[in-house]
Amino acid sequence: MRKLSIKLKITIWFTLFMIILAFTILACLILVSRNTSSSEIKNLLIHVVDSNSKEVEYDDGELDIDDDYVTSKNAVSSNIFDDKGVQIKGYIDYPEIINEPFIDGVLKTITIGDDNFFVYDRLISSEEGPDIWVRGFVQENSNIIMASVLYKVLFILFPLLIILASLGGYFITLHAFKPINKISQMAKEIEKSGDLSKRIELIHNKDEIYNLSVTFNNMFKQLERNFEAERNFTSDASHELRTPVTIILAQCEYAFENATNMDELYEAIGAIQKQGYRMSRLIESLLQFTRIEQNIETKDFQIVNLSQIVKGLLKDYKPLNIKNISIEENIDDDISINADISLITRLVQNLIQNAYRYGKESGYIQVSLNYKETVVILSVSDNGIGITEEELPNIWNRFYRVDKARSNGNGMGLGLSMVKQIAEIHNGKVEVESTIGEGSTFRVLFYKK
Ligand code: ADP
């Protein structure tokens, strides 16, 4: 059974079901007919004899039997006898029935061997001649009528219906599975060519298969996007590493070939160290991204007190007195969320770091953390250089920098994309409002899971 296709399994099930159904209906029919036929047969016998008796009369002293007289109908046999009990019309196999005394209009039951027979007589009296009797009889268990119909149904109609139903079922499933074959064909093509831009052709009727195709297409789209992002990330990361490596090699060459005194050597080593720090920061960020990605799978979360984390970070920054920037806090106590503590710390740190980096001398930073209904909102504002409207949608992309000169070569364009990614795996959303020359407000909204 395991090796059978779904098409065949459905057809077999369908056919078996039809056969069982057909036999159940037949069994019921036979049962019902057994119970009802007896009275129906009696009625039929009376009806046949009564109508036949109207077709027999004397015409000018001669016995006249009309053409409408029926000798046999549905197992009921009709016969005519004269007043001496001699059969004039019809043929009866059973002498017991022939010899049975005539009684007008009374239905009698005669037992011959194992079988019961119903017998019914009608007297036709006329002044033109002697009495005439019409005698009808029928076997009691003449389910013959019903049975013959049932057997016809059983042996002709039902097998025909079953064959029709199975064929119909098979073709319907064959047709229904066509789109599935298309899906698996497309998946094979994608596997072979590695081309994720291919899509499954959508069928017109919006059934389950249509939904499946749409889901697959969305999955391919997402995979394509992820692969593209991965490719870009690797190429951007290599590009970012190439610059410091080139500078380091150039400085080494200069030091070996041209440096004539200790000052020049120190200068070269200083430049090399600066690039070393830059590479180290970049590698650190790349490792962080890997950690975030791994965390999406492991979800090593716990309830953390976000208020404490934000307050603690601000306490660390304040004494540094960077650019003489002041800090205003509006942090509600004991706001907790389900989070990875090191990732969430990194998110807050990146936002504060940017506010300092792009804030103006002697400016201010406002940090607030509050509940709004069921949403926890973290907001970091500065009155620094701001961002133009056109640049705003791009700042969340990896390695995107508005202007390299803005951050004195310190920024790598990874901070905000990390903030966004960390927010998303914490069921959060990022928002930004900014006006060039006036400042920016970054908000992270954490929704209850
Ligand atoms: P970077 O490491 O360059 O700061 P980010 O991803 O943190 O990278 O930021 C991306 C860009 O967004 C930066 O190049 C910067 O120009 C801009 N930006 C980020 N934060 C602010 C801010 N608070 N004010 C103005 N510009 C900002």
Side-chain angles (χ1 to χ4, degrees), residues 342-373:
S342 75
L343 291 184
I344 217 75
T345 308
R346 167 58 75 143
L347 176 149
V348 183
Q349 212 168 18
N350 282 4
L351 289 178
I352 298 175
Q353 224 165 40
N354 277 355
Y356 272 113
R357 193 179 280 165
Y358 305 105
K360 74 171 179 203
E361 280 286 333
S362 304
Y364 63 83
I365 297 176
Q366 288 169 333
V367 181
S368 68
L369 180 69
N370 325 91
Y371 259 124
K372 204 166 183 191
E373 285 156 14

PDB file of all heavy atoms in Angstrom, residues 342-373:
ATOM      1  N   SER A 342      22.536  39.775  26.404  1.00  0.00           N
ATOM      2  CA  SER A 342      23.686  40.408  25.740  1.00  0.00           C
ATOM      3  C   SER A 342      23.243  41.091  24.440  1.00  0.00           C
ATOM      4  O   SER A 342      23.761  42.149  24.090  1.00  0.00           O
ATOM      5  CB  SER A 342      24.797  39.393  25.500  1.00  0.00           C
ATOM      6  OG  SER A 342      24.431  38.569  24.451  1.00  0.00           O
ATOM      7  N   LEU A 343      22.272  40.491  23.738  1.00  0.00           N
ATOM      8  CA  LEU A 343      21.802  41.127  22.497  1.00  0.00           C
ATOM      9  C   LEU A 343      21.071  42.431  22.788  1.00  0.00           C
ATOM     10  O   LEU A 343      21.263  43.434  22.105  1.00  0.00           O
ATOM     11  CB  LEU A 343      20.871  40.183  21.726  1.00  0.00           C
ATOM     12  CG  LEU A 343      21.513  38.953  21.103  1.00  0.00           C
ATOM     13  CD1 LEU A 343      20.484  38.167  20.302  1.00  0.00           C
ATOM     14  CD2 LEU A 343      22.656  39.360  20.181  1.00  0.00           C
ATOM     15  N   ILE A 344      20.228  42.400  23.824  1.00  0.00           N
ATOM     16  CA  ILE A 344      19.440  43.596  24.124  1.00  0.00           C
ATOM     17  C   ILE A 344      20.369  44.722  24.612  1.00  0.00           C
ATOM     18  O   ILE A 344      20.147  45.897  24.330  1.00  0.00           O
ATOM     19  CB  ILE A 344      18.288  43.264  25.121  1.00  0.00           C
ATOM     20  CG1 ILE A 344      17.057  44.068  24.766  1.00  0.00           C
ATOM     21  CG2 ILE A 344      18.617  43.512  26.560  1.00  0.00           C
ATOM     22  CD1 ILE A 344      16.308  43.616  23.601  1.00  0.00           C
ATOM     23  N   THR A 345      21.426  44.346  25.341  1.00  0.00           N
ATOM     24  CA  THR A 345      22.413  45.352  25.783  1.00  0.00           C
ATOM     25  C   THR A 345      23.076  45.976  24.559  1.00  0.00           C
ATOM     26  O   THR A 345      23.254  47.180  24.470  1.00  0.00           O
ATOM     27  CB  THR A 345      23.491  44.690  26.679  1.00  0.00           C
ATOM     28  OG1 THR A 345      22.817  43.974  27.695  1.00  0.00           O
ATOM     29  CG2 THR A 345      24.433  45.701  27.288  1.00  0.00           C
ATOM     30  N   ARG A 346      23.399  45.109  23.574  1.00  0.00           N
ATOM     31  CA  ARG A 346      24.054  45.596  22.354  1.00  0.00           C
ATOM     32  C   ARG A 346      23.133  46.577  21.606  1.00  0.00           C
ATOM     33  O   ARG A 346      23.578  47.609  21.101  1.00  0.00           O
ATOM     34  CB  ARG A 346      24.412  44.385  21.483  1.00  0.00           C
ATOM     35  CG  ARG A 346      24.806  44.685  20.064  1.00  0.00           C
ATOM     36  CD  ARG A 346      25.977  45.608  19.975  1.00  0.00           C
ATOM     37  NE  ARG A 346      27.230  44.946  20.298  1.00  0.00           N
ATOM     38  CZ  ARG A 346      28.376  45.222  19.675  1.00  0.00           C
ATOM     39  NH1 ARG A 346      28.412  46.118  18.731  1.00  0.00           N
ATOM     40  NH2 ARG A 346      29.467  44.595  20.010  1.00  0.00           N
ATOM     41  N   LEU A 347      21.824  46.277  21.588  1.00  0.00           N
ATOM     42  CA  LEU A 347      20.854  47.151  20.901  1.00  0.00           C
ATOM     43  C   LEU A 347      20.865  48.553  21.529  1.00  0.00           C
ATOM     44  O   LEU A 347      21.009  49.564  20.833  1.00  0.00           O
ATOM     45  CB  LEU A 347      19.467  46.512  20.992  1.00  0.00           C
ATOM     46  CG  LEU A 347      18.266  47.267  20.424  1.00  0.00           C
ATOM     47  CD1 LEU A 347      17.234  46.273  19.913  1.00  0.00           C
ATOM     48  CD2 LEU A 347      17.589  48.183  21.412  1.00  0.00           C
ATOM     49  N   VAL A 348      20.752  48.596  22.878  1.00  0.00           N
ATOM     50  CA  VAL A 348      20.700  49.894  23.571  1.00  0.00           C
ATOM     51  C   VAL A 348      22.018  50.640  23.349  1.00  0.00           C
ATOM     52  O   VAL A 348      22.046  51.839  23.043  1.00  0.00           O
ATOM     53  CB  VAL A 348      20.426  49.693  25.081  1.00  0.00           C
ATOM     54  CG1 VAL A 348      20.289  51.029  25.780  1.00  0.00           C
ATOM     55  CG2 VAL A 348      19.177  48.858  25.300  1.00  0.00           C
ATOM     56  N   GLN A 349      23.117  49.884  23.451  1.00  0.00           N
ATOM     57  CA  GLN A 349      24.459  50.465  23.313  1.00  0.00           C
ATOM     58  C   GLN A 349      24.622  51.108  21.921  1.00  0.00           C
ATOM     59  O   GLN A 349      25.115  52.236  21.813  1.00  0.00           O
ATOM     60  CB  GLN A 349      25.480  49.355  23.455  1.00  0.00           C
ATOM     61  CG  GLN A 349      26.756  49.796  24.081  1.00  0.00           C
ATOM     62  CD  GLN A 349      27.591  48.580  24.463  1.00  0.00           C
ATOM     63  OE1 GLN A 349      27.352  47.475  23.969  1.00  0.00           O
ATOM     64  NE2 GLN A 349      28.544  48.762  25.343  1.00  0.00           N
ATOM     65  N   ASN A 350      24.209  50.414  20.884  1.00  0.00           N
ATOM     66  CA  ASN A 350      24.346  50.938  19.515  1.00  0.00           C
ATOM     67  C   ASN A 350      23.599  52.254  19.350  1.00  0.00           C
ATOM     68  O   ASN A 350      24.102  53.184  18.725  1.00  0.00           O
ATOM     69  CB  ASN A 350      23.812  49.933  18.489  1.00  0.00           C
ATOM     70  CG  ASN A 350      24.792  48.807  18.243  1.00  0.00           C
ATOM     71  OD1 ASN A 350      25.828  48.742  18.888  1.00  0.00           O
ATOM     72  ND2 ASN A 350      24.455  47.919  17.328  1.00  0.00           N
ATOM     73  N   LEU A 351      22.378  52.322  19.928  1.00  0.00           N
ATOM     74  CA  LEU A 351      21.589  53.553  19.775  1.00  0.00           C
ATOM     75  C   LEU A 351      22.247  54.710  20.527  1.00  0.00           C
ATOM     76  O   LEU A 351      22.328  55.831  20.008  1.00  0.00           O
ATOM     77  CB  LEU A 351      20.163  53.323  20.282  1.00  0.00           C
ATOM     78  CG  LEU A 351      19.284  52.420  19.407  1.00  0.00           C
ATOM     79  CD1 LEU A 351      17.909  52.234  20.036  1.00  0.00           C
ATOM     80  CD2 LEU A 351      19.120  53.001  18.003  1.00  0.00           C
ATOM     81  N   ILE A 352      22.737  54.436  21.763  1.00  0.00           N
ATOM     82  CA  ILE A 352      23.371  55.509  22.553  1.00  0.00           C
ATOM     83  C   ILE A 352      24.673  55.959  21.866  1.00  0.00           C
ATOM     84  O   ILE A 352      24.952  57.157  21.732  1.00  0.00           O
ATOM     85  CB  ILE A 352      23.640  55.038  24.005  1.00  0.00           C
ATOM     86  CG1 ILE A 352      22.296  54.708  24.688  1.00  0.00           C
ATOM     87  CG2 ILE A 352      24.379  56.108  24.796  1.00  0.00           C
ATOM     88  CD1 ILE A 352      22.431  54.121  26.075  1.00  0.00           C
ATOM     89  N   GLN A 353      25.426  54.947  21.374  1.00  0.00           N
ATOM     90  CA  GLN A 353      26.700  55.240  20.698  1.00  0.00           C
ATOM     91  C   GLN A 353      26.468  56.170  19.493  1.00  0.00           C
ATOM     92  O   GLN A 353      27.178  57.154  19.308  1.00  0.00           O
ATOM     93  CB  GLN A 353      27.280  53.933  20.174  1.00  0.00           C
ATOM     94  CG  GLN A 353      28.755  53.783  20.434  1.00  0.00           C
ATOM     95  CD  GLN A 353      29.157  52.334  20.214  1.00  0.00           C
ATOM     96  OE1 GLN A 353      28.678  51.694  19.280  1.00  0.00           O
ATOM     97  NE2 GLN A 353      30.008  51.822  21.064  1.00  0.00           N
ATOM     98  N   ASN A 354      25.445  55.847  18.680  1.00  0.00           N
ATOM     99  CA  ASN A 354      25.126  56.686  17.512  1.00  0.00           C
ATOM    100  C   ASN A 354      24.712  58.090  17.930  1.00  0.00           C
ATOM    101  O   ASN A 354      25.076  59.069  17.279  1.00  0.00           O
ATOM    102  CB  ASN A 354      23.999  56.063  16.695  1.00  0.00           C
ATOM    103  CG  ASN A 354      24.516  54.999  15.754  1.00  0.00           C
ATOM    104  OD1 ASN A 354      25.724  54.802  15.649  1.00  0.00           O
ATOM    105  ND2 ASN A 354      23.615  54.312  15.087  1.00  0.00           N
ATOM    106  N   ALA A 355      23.916  58.168  19.033  1.00  0.00           N
ATOM    107  CA  ALA A 355      23.462  59.495  19.495  1.00  0.00           C
ATOM    108  C   ALA A 355      24.671  60.357  19.866  1.00  0.00           C
ATOM    109  O   ALA A 355      24.695  61.555  19.579  1.00  0.00           O
ATOM    110  CB  ALA A 355      22.524  59.319  20.675  1.00  0.00           C
ATOM    111  N   TYR A 356      25.672  59.732  20.482  1.00  0.00           N
ATOM    112  CA  TYR A 356      26.912  60.478  20.812  1.00  0.00           C
ATOM    113  C   TYR A 356      27.663  60.819  19.534  1.00  0.00           C
ATOM    114  O   TYR A 356      28.092  61.938  19.320  1.00  0.00           O
ATOM    115  CB  TYR A 356      27.826  59.638  21.709  1.00  0.00           C
ATOM    116  CG  TYR A 356      27.535  59.803  23.185  1.00  0.00           C
ATOM    117  CD1 TYR A 356      27.028  58.756  23.949  1.00  0.00           C
ATOM    118  CD2 TYR A 356      27.794  61.021  23.826  1.00  0.00           C
ATOM    119  CE1 TYR A 356      26.772  58.894  25.296  1.00  0.00           C
ATOM    120  CE2 TYR A 356      27.541  61.169  25.196  1.00  0.00           C
ATOM    121  CZ  TYR A 356      27.032  60.099  25.908  1.00  0.00           C
ATOM    122  OH  TYR A 356      26.786  60.262  27.247  1.00  0.00           O
ATOM    123  N   ARG A 357      27.806  59.766  18.662  1.00  0.00           N
ATOM    124  CA  ARG A 357      28.634  59.927  17.470  1.00  0.00           C
ATOM    125  C   ARG A 357      28.106  61.016  16.540  1.00  0.00           C
ATOM    126  O   ARG A 357      28.854  61.801  15.983  1.00  0.00           O
ATOM    127  CB  ARG A 357      28.692  58.589  16.724  1.00  0.00           C
ATOM    128  CG  ARG A 357      29.754  58.530  15.667  1.00  0.00           C
ATOM    129  CD  ARG A 357      29.761  57.172  14.999  1.00  0.00           C
ATOM    130  NE  ARG A 357      30.445  56.157  15.780  1.00  0.00           N
ATOM    131  CZ  ARG A 357      30.337  54.841  15.540  1.00  0.00           C
ATOM    132  NH1 ARG A 357      29.549  54.413  14.568  1.00  0.00           N
ATOM    133  NH2 ARG A 357      30.994  53.981  16.270  1.00  0.00           N
ATOM    134  N   TYR A 358      26.763  61.043  16.385  1.00  0.00           N
ATOM    135  CA  TYR A 358      26.176  62.007  15.447  1.00  0.00           C
ATOM    136  C   TYR A 358      25.509  63.182  16.182  1.00  0.00           C
ATOM    137  O   TYR A 358      24.796  63.977  15.575  1.00  0.00           O
ATOM    138  CB  TYR A 358      25.174  61.308  14.514  1.00  0.00           C
ATOM    139  CG  TYR A 358      25.819  60.129  13.793  1.00  0.00           C
ATOM    140  CD1 TYR A 358      25.555  58.812  14.160  1.00  0.00           C
ATOM    141  CD2 TYR A 358      26.748  60.373  12.779  1.00  0.00           C
ATOM    142  CE1 TYR A 358      26.187  57.754  13.526  1.00  0.00           C
ATOM    143  CE2 TYR A 358      27.386  59.308  12.146  1.00  0.00           C
ATOM    144  CZ  TYR A 358      27.097  58.001  12.528  1.00  0.00           C
ATOM    145  OH  TYR A 358      27.725  56.955  11.900  1.00  0.00           O
ATOM    146  N   GLY A 359      25.699  63.243  17.520  1.00  0.00           N
ATOM    147  CA  GLY A 359      25.168  64.367  18.309  1.00  0.00           C
ATOM    148  C   GLY A 359      26.088  65.574  18.166  1.00  0.00           C
ATOM    149  O   GLY A 359      27.239  65.450  17.751  1.00  0.00           O
ATOM    150  N   LYS A 360      25.588  66.772  18.536  1.00  0.00           N
ATOM    151  CA  LYS A 360      26.455  67.946  18.364  1.00  0.00           C
ATOM    152  C   LYS A 360      27.155  68.293  19.676  1.00  0.00           C
ATOM    153  O   LYS A 360      26.691  67.925  20.759  1.00  0.00           O
ATOM    154  CB  LYS A 360      25.670  69.116  17.799  1.00  0.00           C
ATOM    155  CG  LYS A 360      24.738  69.800  18.732  1.00  0.00           C
ATOM    156  CD  LYS A 360      24.224  71.054  18.048  1.00  0.00           C
ATOM    157  CE  LYS A 360      23.246  71.748  18.975  1.00  0.00           C
ATOM    158  NZ  LYS A 360      22.312  72.601  18.304  1.00  0.00           N
ATOM    159  N   GLU A 361      28.262  68.978  19.569  1.00  0.00           N
ATOM    160  CA  GLU A 361      29.043  69.409  20.736  1.00  0.00           C
ATOM    161  C   GLU A 361      28.137  70.142  21.712  1.00  0.00           C
ATOM    162  O   GLU A 361      27.332  70.982  21.302  1.00  0.00           O
ATOM    163  CB  GLU A 361      30.170  70.363  20.292  1.00  0.00           C
ATOM    164  CG  GLU A 361      31.402  69.705  19.704  1.00  0.00           C
ATOM    165  CD  GLU A 361      32.266  69.014  20.765  1.00  0.00           C
ATOM    166  OE1 GLU A 361      32.249  69.429  21.955  1.00  0.00           O
ATOM    167  OE2 GLU A 361      32.944  68.049  20.395  1.00  0.00           O
ATOM    168  N   SER A 362      28.238  69.807  22.979  1.00  0.00           N
ATOM    169  CA  SER A 362      27.442  70.415  24.059  1.00  0.00           C
ATOM    170  C   SER A 362      25.930  70.265  23.830  1.00  0.00           C
ATOM    171  O   SER A 362      25.143  71.070  24.342  1.00  0.00           O
ATOM    172  CB  SER A 362      27.778  71.915  24.229  1.00  0.00           C
ATOM    173  OG  SER A 362      29.141  72.073  24.446  1.00  0.00           O
ATOM    174  N   GLY A 363      25.559  69.279  23.043  1.00  0.00           N
ATOM    175  CA  GLY A 363      24.129  69.034  22.807  1.00  0.00           C
ATOM    176  C   GLY A 363      23.550  68.151  23.911  1.00  0.00           C
ATOM    177  O   GLY A 363      24.105  68.073  25.019  1.00  0.00           O
ATOM    178  N   TYR A 364      22.457  67.473  23.591  1.00  0.00           N
ATOM    179  CA  TYR A 364      21.866  66.589  24.610  1.00  0.00           C
ATOM    180  C   TYR A 364      21.368  65.286  23.963  1.00  0.00           C
ATOM    181  O   TYR A 364      21.153  65.218  22.748  1.00  0.00           O
ATOM    182  CB  TYR A 364      20.706  67.283  25.340  1.00  0.00           C
ATOM    183  CG  TYR A 364      19.565  67.632  24.431  1.00  0.00           C
ATOM    184  CD1 TYR A 364      18.591  66.692  24.100  1.00  0.00           C
ATOM    185  CD2 TYR A 364      19.454  68.920  23.889  1.00  0.00           C
ATOM    186  CE1 TYR A 364      17.554  66.997  23.248  1.00  0.00           C
ATOM    187  CE2 TYR A 364      18.410  69.239  23.042  1.00  0.00           C
ATOM    188  CZ  TYR A 364      17.459  68.276  22.721  1.00  0.00           C
ATOM    189  OH  TYR A 364      16.440  68.579  21.868  1.00  0.00           O
ATOM    190  N   ILE A 365      21.218  64.305  24.820  1.00  0.00           N
ATOM    191  CA  ILE A 365      20.619  63.022  24.407  1.00  0.00           C
ATOM    192  C   ILE A 365      19.475  62.750  25.375  1.00  0.00           C
ATOM    193  O   ILE A 365      19.658  62.906  26.590  1.00  0.00           O
ATOM    194  CB  ILE A 365      21.641  61.863  24.491  1.00  0.00           C
ATOM    195  CG1 ILE A 365      22.809  62.081  23.524  1.00  0.00           C
ATOM    196  CG2 ILE A 365      20.977  60.535  24.205  1.00  0.00           C
ATOM    197  CD1 ILE A 365      23.901  61.025  23.640  1.00  0.00           C
ATOM    198  N   GLN A 366      18.314  62.397  24.833  1.00  0.00           N
ATOM    199  CA  GLN A 366      17.188  62.034  25.719  1.00  0.00           C
ATOM    200  C   GLN A 366      16.925  60.537  25.558  1.00  0.00           C
ATOM    201  O   GLN A 366      16.746  60.077  24.430  1.00  0.00           O
ATOM    202  CB  GLN A 366      15.929  62.801  25.317  1.00  0.00           C
ATOM    203  CG  GLN A 366      16.001  64.268  25.678  1.00  0.00           C
ATOM    204  CD  GLN A 366      14.863  65.048  25.043  1.00  0.00           C
ATOM    205  OE1 GLN A 366      14.337  64.668  24.000  1.00  0.00           O
ATOM    206  NE2 GLN A 366      14.513  66.162  25.670  1.00  0.00           N
ATOM    207  N   VAL A 367      16.907  59.851  26.705  1.00  0.00           N
ATOM    208  CA  VAL A 367      16.623  58.412  26.653  1.00  0.00           C
ATOM    209  C   VAL A 367      15.379  58.146  27.504  1.00  0.00           C
ATOM    210  O   VAL A 367      15.334  58.541  28.672  1.00  0.00           O
ATOM    211  CB  VAL A 367      17.811  57.579  27.194  1.00  0.00           C
ATOM    212  CG1 VAL A 367      17.497  56.091  27.118  1.00  0.00           C
ATOM    213  CG2 VAL A 367      19.071  57.890  26.411  1.00  0.00           C
ATOM    214  N   SER A 368      14.384  57.515  26.897  1.00  0.00           N
ATOM    215  CA  SER A 368      13.193  57.197  27.702  1.00  0.00           C
ATOM    216  C   SER A 368      12.806  55.727  27.510  1.00  0.00           C
ATOM    217  O   SER A 368      13.069  55.135  26.451  1.00  0.00           O
ATOM    218  CB  SER A 368      12.032  58.121  27.330  1.00  0.00           C
ATOM    219  OG  SER A 368      11.598  57.828  26.039  1.00  0.00           O
ATOM    220  N   LEU A 369      12.208  55.178  28.556  1.00  0.00           N
ATOM    221  CA  LEU A 369      11.728  53.789  28.504  1.00  0.00           C
ATOM    222  C   LEU A 369      10.407  53.750  29.251  1.00  0.00           C
ATOM    223  O   LEU A 369      10.357  53.991  30.451  1.00  0.00           O
ATOM    224  CB  LEU A 369      12.751  52.849  29.164  1.00  0.00           C
ATOM    225  CG  LEU A 369      12.355  51.371  29.168  1.00  0.00           C
ATOM    226  CD1 LEU A 369      12.381  50.784  27.767  1.00  0.00           C
ATOM    227  CD2 LEU A 369      13.305  50.556  30.064  1.00  0.00           C
ATOM    228  N   ASN A 370       9.325  53.484  28.507  1.00  0.00           N
ATOM    229  CA  ASN A 370       7.997  53.462  29.145  1.00  0.00           C
ATOM    230  C   ASN A 370       7.124  52.367  28.556  1.00  0.00           C
ATOM    231  O   ASN A 370       7.444  51.811  27.513  1.00  0.00           O
ATOM    232  CB  ASN A 370       7.221  54.779  28.914  1.00  0.00           C
ATOM    233  CG  ASN A 370       8.105  55.988  28.887  1.00  0.00           C
ATOM    234  OD1 ASN A 370       8.577  56.384  27.825  1.00  0.00           O
ATOM    235  ND2 ASN A 370       8.344  56.551  30.050  1.00  0.00           N
ATOM    236  N   TYR A 371       6.022  52.165  29.258  1.00  0.00           N
ATOM    237  CA  TYR A 371       4.970  51.261  28.782  1.00  0.00           C
ATOM    238  C   TYR A 371       3.913  52.087  28.080  1.00  0.00           C
ATOM    239  O   TYR A 371       3.545  53.154  28.576  1.00  0.00           O
ATOM    240  CB  TYR A 371       4.263  50.618  29.983  1.00  0.00           C
ATOM    241  CG  TYR A 371       4.690  49.219  30.279  1.00  0.00           C
ATOM    242  CD1 TYR A 371       5.175  48.882  31.546  1.00  0.00           C
ATOM    243  CD2 TYR A 371       4.578  48.223  29.316  1.00  0.00           C
ATOM    244  CE1 TYR A 371       5.561  47.595  31.837  1.00  0.00           C
ATOM    245  CE2 TYR A 371       4.958  46.928  29.617  1.00  0.00           C
ATOM    246  CZ  TYR A 371       5.447  46.622  30.868  1.00  0.00           C
ATOM    247  OH  TYR A 371       5.804  45.350  31.162  1.00  0.00           O
ATOM    248  N   LYS A 372       3.437  51.646  26.936  1.00  0.00           N
ATOM    249  CA  LYS A 372       2.241  52.289  26.377  1.00  0.00           C
ATOM    250  C   LYS A 372       1.291  51.137  26.081  1.00  0.00           C
ATOM    251  O   LYS A 372       1.552  50.336  25.186  1.00  0.00           O
ATOM    252  CB  LYS A 372       2.600  53.047  25.106  1.00  0.00           C
ATOM    253  CG  LYS A 372       1.626  54.138  24.817  1.00  0.00           C
ATOM    254  CD  LYS A 372       2.157  55.069  23.772  1.00  0.00           C
ATOM    255  CE  LYS A 372       1.177  56.203  23.558  1.00  0.00           C
ATOM    256  NZ  LYS A 372       1.526  56.962  22.387  1.00  0.00           N
ATOM    257  N   GLU A 373       0.231  51.055  26.873  1.00  0.00           N
ATOM    258  CA  GLU A 373      -0.653  49.895  26.880  1.00  0.00           C
ATOM    259  C   GLU A 373       0.197  48.634  27.104  1.00  0.00           C
ATOM    260  O   GLU A 373       0.821  48.525  28.133  1.00  0.00           O
ATOM    261  CB  GLU A 373      -1.483  49.840  25.601  1.00  0.00           C
ATOM    262  CG  GLU A 373      -2.582  50.886  25.633  1.00  0.00           C
ATOM    263  CD  GLU A 373      -3.079  51.302  24.276  1.00  0.00           C
ATOM    264  OE1 GLU A 373      -2.797  50.626  23.283  1.00  0.00           O
ATOM    265  OE2 GLU A 373      -3.768  52.334  24.240  1.00  0.00           O
TER     266      GLU A 373
END
